[in-house]
Amino acid sequence: MRIGSKPFRLAAVAVAIGTGIALAGCSSVDTTGGPAALGTADDINPQPREAVRDGGNLRLAVSSFPANWNALTVDGNNLEIAEIVWPLMPRSYITDAAGNLTIDKNYFTDIQLTGTDPQQVTYTINPKAVWSDGSPITWEDIASQAHALSSADTRYQIAINSGFDRVEKVERGVDDRQAVITFKEHYADWRGQFAGNSMLYPKSVTADPEAFNHALLNGISLTAGPFVVQSTDRTQGRVVLARNPKWWGERPKLDTITYSVLDRSAYAAALQNNELDGARLSSIEDVATVRSTPDLVVRHTPGNLWRHLTFNGAPGSILADPALRVAISKAIDRQGIANATQNGLVADPKTLNNHIFIQGQQGYQDNSLPFDPQAAARELDALGWKLQGDVRVKDGRPLEIRDVMYNDPTWVRIAQIIQGDLAKVGVKLTIDTRPGQGFFTDVMIPGDFDVAQFQFSGDAFPLGSIPQIYAYHPDDLQTNFGRIGSEELNALIDETLSELDPAKAIALANQVDRKVFEEGFSLPLTQDPGNFGVRTNVANFGAPGLASYDYTKIGFVK
């Protein structure tokens, strides 16, 4: 999650298990030719519409078939699912490389903060905007989604409430094409409620908990983007999007976009074999493969994915004591992990030292606890975990924890480094790899881990994502997989979200971040270097950084 300055906040955070940066071995490849920092530029081979030919099929890859096409659900809140759904669904804003926002006029002719006491936001819907069955997008779709995400009905298995828990009511404006949202409490990140990963879904999906949770498990039919779903094949692992015949905006240049399910370790070879047109690159070897292949290029700009460790602090778990989690955190050499996984991929490997903002975004500062294995050992002693041989024991229970992750070489390497670090202070760590398919549904949501490794992804918004992950409400967990938190932290999060002054909200958000470190919630590791392998003739697609794609302009140069 991260935020930009004016447009504020990183919208609904999506989670990702793959995009591994595999071990940087002995070889060296120059990958530093792109922008120096997130928020400075994108690298997408920008071309005007007239330079892009009509037609063609863009071939992309995902590591698993969508578990739920409703990206608002806890099991659909996955970056790869969002990437498939973005060309299909309405969002309120277009984002540039610096995180600046422009209203997406395809969907809304105007979005205005029309009051502050009480806070009120008015959405005016484009009169041409329709769902793919020809029915109009109306204020009722907005009102229905606001209710579904409000947390008022906990049967809705939401990934994030996007501030709708602070909404008093949603009313019809001057006609069915206008919605007026009135807040009962101020909400700092109001611009992100239908932006980023928080797309607008039709009321047929959001009006009923059963439909919300399960109607899109096997596919999606009612959409409203420049593309529609042409076909899906779970067995073959393939999704094909085609032009939406009812699309009212600029005609897309591409005929189709095809997503194929591949193991991430196969992406570079698939590019080299002309089976894909674009893919994230996971390792220095992948980068070398792309650079050595004719008609391929590495597009690079620092990304907004970031690796981290999440601890399980649920009642009864071995890491339920926050002091124990903090002590273990201090024994993990995060800089060593950065060096081992990013040497050769970036010029100067650095740890990420903030949970709310990433490097390059306004508000980023180092709020982390220091790496201090000596202090970790003292604190473990004080907590009653005494060394017996190589492993600490308390009340007859050895200090053994499971590190659960997607079966990816880089995640395993990171786990091995952590395993070695923790062994030095008497903590035994077991590496537990799982398949990508069902990772969140079967592992993270039920809490089947002591420590887990995956990635978060955000966009140009990020205050609204703070409660999604770091607030703790036992009956509304959202993405707090580790079930960790406190009333004090909840109160500070509420104060942050209630602050409409951007500078003050940023300062409060950094106070939240420090407390997240102090409760041993999770450990940020590294930020994605943002390398994409793309065919040289692909236009308006590649390494976007904070920017959103214009799917009507993506295509192949003439």
Side-chain angles (χ1 to χ4, degrees):
M1 341 138 272
R2 285 89 236 104
I3 108 181
S5 49
K6 326 167 193 76
F8 236 24
R9 153 196 173 201
L10 158 152
V13 166
V15 286
I17 52 179
T19 50
I21 297 155
L23 234 76
C26 303
S27 57
S28 177
V29 177
D30 177 16
T31 62
T32 60
L38 186 75
T40 58
D42 52 22
D43 189 6
I44 62 169
N45 187 23
Q47 299 290 332
R49 290 183 61 85
E50 57 270 21
V52 182
R53 68 177 172 89
D54 290 321
N57 173 41
L58 183 71
R59 300 164 299 170
L60 305 175
V62 291
S63 63
S64 62
F65 200 84
N68 191 331
W69 291 71
N70 183 356
L72 306 175
T73 62
V74 68
D75 55 348
N77 180 41
N78 179 289
L79 176 63
E80 291 187 329
I81 295 174
E83 289 176 333
I84 296 174
V85 176
W86 282 338
L88 308 175
M89 303 301 283
R91 292 189 286 174
S92 52
Y93 289 98
I94 298 165
T95 310
D96 70 11
N100 297 311
L101 301 183
T102 304
I103 295 170
D104 190 333
K105 295 298 182 72
N106 288 311
Y107 300 110
F108 298 98
T109 58
D110 195 31
I111 303 171
Q112 290 291 332
L113 181 65
T114 49
T116 56
D117 191 20
Q119 184 179 355
Q120 196 171 71
V121 179
T122 300
Y123 287 82
T124 303
I125 301 165
N126 185 332
K128 297 179 180 179
V130 295
W131 298 108
S132 52
D133 63 357
S135 61
I137 298 174
T138 74
W139 76 277
E140 292 180 329
D141 296 302
I142 290 176
S144 179
Q145 185 156 315
H147 171 71
L149 301 184
S150 68
S151 299
D153 186 342
T154 56
R155 292 177 298 169
Y156 286 93
Q157 296 171 6
I158 65 173
I160 180 173
N161 59 39
S162 295
F164 288 110
D165 57 328
R166 293 167 173 259
V167 168
E168 178 68 33
K169 57 186 176 180
V170 181
E171 298 173 293
R172 181 179 185 269
V174 295
D175 57 25
D176 284 349
R177 296 289 195 158
Q178 189 174 79
V180 181
I181 300 178
T182 302
F183 292 78
K184 57 190 175 185
E185 300 174 75
H186 283 170
Y187 182 55
D189 218 4
W190 59 269
R191 292 177 182 87
Q193 289 191 304
F194 298 102
N197 300 323
S198 296
M199 293 155 276
L200 176 63
Y201 280 76
K203 62 184 178 182
S204 59
V205 172
T206 57
D208 171 77
E210 177 63 24
F212 183 89
N213 298 336
H214 301 122
L216 303 188
L217 288 178
N218 296 315
I220 187 170
S221 56
L222 196 59
T223 58
F227 288 85
V228 294
V229 177
Q230 176 176 286
S231 64
T232 63
D233 189 327
R234 186 181 293 272
T235 301
Q236 294 294 320
R238 187 161 293 120
V239 174
V240 181
L241 310 183
R243 290 186 183 124
N244 177 4
K246 291 186 168 62
W247 175 246
W248 56 95
E250 293 272 14
R251 186 174 187 265
K253 288 292 185 176
L254 292 168
D255 291 321
T256 53
I257 304 173
T258 299
Y259 297 89
S260 298
V261 176
L262 294 174
D263 189 277
R264 289 194 177 273
S265 62
Y267 283 11
L271 284 165
Q272 187 177 47
N273 295 333
N274 198 20
E275 297 166 1
L276 294 176
D277 297 306
R280 282 190 177 87
L281 303 179
S282 299
S283 70
I284 195 166
E285 291 81 9
D286 289 349
V287 171
T289 297
V290 169
R291 288 193 181 277
S292 65
T293 304
D295 302 322
L296 290 178
V297 65
V298 174
R299 303 211 181 279
H300 168 83
T301 193
N304 56 353
L305 290 172
W306 53 282
R307 293 179 178 273
H308 76 287
L309 310 177
T310 278
F311 295 100
N312 188 344
S317 67
I318 192 170
L319 299 180
D321 183 354
L324 176 58
R325 298 193 299 269
V326 168
I328 289 174
S329 297
K330 291 179 181 179
I332 297 173
D333 183 2
R334 297 185 303 123
Q335 184 60 52
I337 292 171
N339 293 341
T341 59
Q342 292 200 335
N343 183 38
L345 286 172
V346 297
D348 181 19
K350 293 179 180 178
T351 58
L352 182 68
N353 297 317
N354 197 300
H355 295 84
I356 314 298
F357 308 98
I358 48 178
Q359 295 165 16
Q361 288 186 309
Q362 183 180 359
Y364 179 82
Q365 65 183 46
D366 184 349
N367 297 317
S368 63
L369 302 176
F371 168 56
D372 191 341
Q374 291 77 25
R378 291 193 300 271
E379 291 169 20
L380 290 169
D381 284 336
L383 291 169
W385 291 96
K386 303 296 186 181
L387 269 177
Q388 291 187 14
D390 294 329
V391 180
R392 292 177 181 270
V393 177
K394 181 178 180 180
D395 300 329
R397 185 180 190 180
L399 189 48
E400 299 181 2
I401 58 178
R402 289 180 304 122
D403 186 359
V404 182
M405 73 215 70
Y406 169 68
N407 191 6
D408 169 87
T410 302
W411 281 130
V412 172
R413 174 57 176 153
I414 290 171
Q416 290 170 339
I417 295 170
I418 295 170
Q419 188 179 54
D421 288 342
L422 295 185
K424 295 173 184 176
V425 296
V427 180
K428 182 177 180 179
L429 183 131
T430 301
I431 299 172
D432 185 354
T433 60
R434 305 292 180 91
Q437 194 72 40
F439 183 83
F440 291 99
T441 302
D442 301 333
V443 177
M444 297 308 302
I445 294 172
D448 182 18
F449 64 95
D450 297 317
V451 180
Q453 298 179 184
F454 59 95
Q455 287 183 303
F456 278 127
S457 168
D459 52 29
F461 300 93
L463 296 188
S465 299
I466 298 175
Q468 173 194 7
I469 304 171
Y470 305 112
Y472 179 57
H473 303 285
D475 58 347
D476 184 20
L477 291 171
Q478 298 186 50
T479 314
N480 188 338
F481 299 123
R483 295 157 173 81
I484 294 171
S486 65
E487 289 302 319
E488 180 186 8
L489 182 56
N490 285 355
L492 184 55
I493 290 171
D494 286 342
E495 183 182 359
T496 303
L497 295 182
S498 298
E499 181 52 67
L500 295 182
D501 181 289
K504 293 179 180 177
I506 287 173
L508 287 166
N510 274 301
Q511 291 182 38
V512 169
D513 180 54
R514 178 65 182 188
K515 288 196 175 296
V516 168
F517 275 109
E518 290 173 347
E519 68 179 12
F521 185 103
S522 60
L523 273 183
L525 298 176
T526 57
Q527 188 170 327
D528 179 29
N531 294 314
F532 284 72
V534 186
R535 303 218 161 272
T536 54
N537 65 339
V538 173
N540 302 310
F541 181 85
L546 288 176
S548 51
Y549 288 125
D550 182 345
Y551 288 93
T552 69
K553 291 178 65 177
I554 295 172
F556 299 92
V557 294
K558 292 179 178 178

